[in-house]
Amino acid sequence: MAGPLIVVIAGIITAWLAIVSNDGLVTEDYYRKGLAVNQTLASSERARAMGLTAGLTLTAESATVRLSARAGRSFVPPASLRVTLSHPTRAGLDQVAVLMREGERYAGKLHLPASGHWLLLIENEEAESWRLMGSVVLPFSGEVVVGVLGGESPADIRN
């Protein structure tokens, strides 16, 4: 009789833990985010149509982005970019940085997050008219390129 009693007690403890613990994978404003999906897809499509590509370089305390557009496209670089590094499962680790234009590149402060898989979002900070998405596995050295379309090489891209 001790076996079934232990199972019942374990079930009660498990139910209590499920009720009182926080499920970090569910966002508080899921409905509002769901409504914005079409706008998000349109922003990504605008970046694809312009042939945008971005090269991200991370150091311990800073981020640098090199932004380019496909040759033959009229593109006016914005004054600033918003870079978001999101952890796929732990929202508390997400980071957002605004990078200001310094010549041909954008630079700003961003604390290098923990190693692992991260989602990368680069968007026009002022107008939010386009966005580039990708992923990165940290740590890495060099530059991560986001936005190069299939069939194109970086040689087809110009600043």
Side-chain angles (χ1 to χ4, degrees), residues 141-155:
S141 61
E143 183 179 74
V144 173
V145 178
V146 179
V148 174
L149 302 175
E152 294 180 341
S153 68

Side-chain angles (χ1 to χ4, degrees), residues 24-133:
L25 297 179
V26 177
T27 182
E28 297 283 328
D29 55 351
Y30 65 90
Y31 182 75
R32 184 178 59 87
K33 287 185 178 184
L35 292 175
V37 168
N38 285 339
Q39 183 179 14
T40 299
L41 294 174
S43 297
S44 295
E45 185 56 40
R46 281 192 290 277
R48 186 179 358 267
M50 290 188 280
L52 289 180
T53 185
L56 172 72
T57 305
L58 291 174
T59 62
E61 294 294 327
S62 68
T64 306
V65 172
R66 178 188 49 82
L67 188 63
S68 305
R70 190 178 317 134
R73 302 283 180 179
S74 61
F75 174 69
V76 178
S80 60
L81 297 177
R82 181 173 39 238
V83 175
T84 305
L85 281 171
S86 301
H87 195 277
T89 59
R90 298 189 306 190
L93 298 178
D94 295 354
Q95 294 190 41
V96 178
V98 175
L99 308 183
M100 301 305 294
R101 188 169 181 196
E102 297 177 359
E104 296 294 317
R105 296 186 179 270
Y106 296 84
K109 295 196 178 289
L110 180 73
H111 180 68
L112 190 63
S115 63
H117 183 262
W118 291 82
L119 302 175
L120 172 64
L121 175 65
I122 300 172
E123 53 193 339
N124 181 348
E125 206 251 332
E126 298 161 350
E128 295 183 2
S129 59
W130 55 264
R131 70 185 220 152
L132 295 170
M133 290 185 65

